[in-house]
Amino acid sequence: MWIDRLLEGLLDTLLMVGVSSLIALLVGVPMAVLLVTSDKGGIFEARLLNRVLGAFVNLFRSIPFLILMVALIPFTRLVVGTTYGVWAAVVPLTIAATPFFARIAEVSLREVDHGLVEAAQAMGCRRWHIVWHVLLPEALPGIVGGFTITLVTLINSSAMAGAIGAGGLGDIAYRYGYQRFDSQIMLTVIAMLVALVALIQLGGDRLAKGLNKR
């Protein structure tokens, strides 16, 4: 019985983290590229757009996840039709993770040697070619490392969301561990979360190291 419940909680956690991290990846990378290329001296320089986008990212990054989740209740209900369960948690998790990951990816993109960009421009490369063939490949190890950090952060946030009705391992730890004073359940959930984080961190570190050709 408990094994089935723990497995169900693990699957719910993986679903929450998987969907929200995929959306954060698909939106965060273009957002980071836009932040870098629209800045002063960038290949798509647009200072006003850069300031507006930067302010938007900073706004959502500065809000604690628990407060953000509560503030987004009307929007969550509008998007998924409910404020309870796994899919309801995906909305605030995604909105919290996307700007967080975008800033990390931005740092990796800014670390790309500007001489490579200048060389590509001197060769007559189009601006989008520079993004695809210079900026992203060179920044890829850092982006992978940043995405790993984002996944770990999402696991922590999903546990917090689970404690207030989103399901997953956090829900099990709160309802059956904390409220019923069952330390065995609490320790089991903690062990599962630690193992999950360790596996993701190990896999992400190895992938980033393998991609680093410097």
Side-chain angles (χ1 to χ4, degrees):
M1 176 182 176
W2 280 114
I3 293 177
D4 292 339
R5 187 164 289 165
L6 287 169
L7 288 176
E8 182 181 356
L10 176 61
L11 290 176
D12 285 346
T13 295
L14 292 175
L15 179 61
M16 282 188 283
V17 173
V19 173
S20 55
S21 64
L22 178 60
I23 298 174
L25 177 66
L26 295 177
V27 178
V29 170
M31 190 179 292
V33 169
L34 192 55
L35 282 168
V36 172
T37 58
S38 65
D39 203 1
K40 182 178 180 181
I43 57 177
F44 292 104
E45 184 174 341
R47 300 296 300 280
L48 178 59
L49 174 62
N50 184 271
R51 285 195 292 268
V52 172
L53 183 58
F56 173 82
V57 169
N58 290 336
L59 172 65
F60 282 95
R61 281 188 63 215
S62 64
I63 303 174
F65 177 71
L66 186 59
I67 296 175
L68 178 65
M69 187 164 51
V70 173
L72 288 173
I73 285 177
F75 180 71
T76 300
R77 184 183 292 112
L78 178 66
V79 173
V80 297
T82 181
T83 59
Y84 184 86
V86 172
W87 291 106
V90 168
V91 176
L93 284 171
T94 300
I95 293 176
T98 300
F100 176 81
F101 173 62
R103 279 301 188 193
I104 297 178
E106 179 194 1
V107 172
S108 298
L109 288 165
R110 290 190 185 279
E111 290 178 348
V112 174
D113 187 355
H114 191 65
L116 295 175
V117 176
E118 292 178 343
Q121 289 176 320
M123 294 171 60
C125 291
R126 295 181 178 180
R127 290 180 291 183
W128 281 114
H129 287 175
I130 295 174
V131 172
W132 281 107
H133 300 292
V134 178
L135 287 176
L136 288 176
E138 289 294 319
L140 189 56
I143 291 175
V144 170
F147 188 63
T148 303
I149 295 172
T150 304
L151 283 172
V152 172
T153 302
L154 277 172
I155 291 173
N156 296 333
S157 298
S158 71
M160 188 186 306
I164 59 173
L169 291 174
D171 178 55
I172 293 174
Y174 181 72
R175 283 200 295 159
Y176 300 102
Y178 175 74
Q179 290 188 332
R180 298 186 183 183
F181 303 101
D182 191 332
S183 59
Q184 184 177 355
I185 293 296
M186 184 71 76
L187 291 174
T188 301
V189 170
I190 291 173
M192 292 176 69
L193 289 172
V194 169
L196 183 59
V197 167
L199 285 173
I200 290 174
Q201 190 68 59
L202 179 62
D205 289 345
R206 287 191 174 183
L207 180 58
K209 185 177 180 180
L211 291 170
N212 193 349
K213 305 300 182 183
R214 297 177 185 176

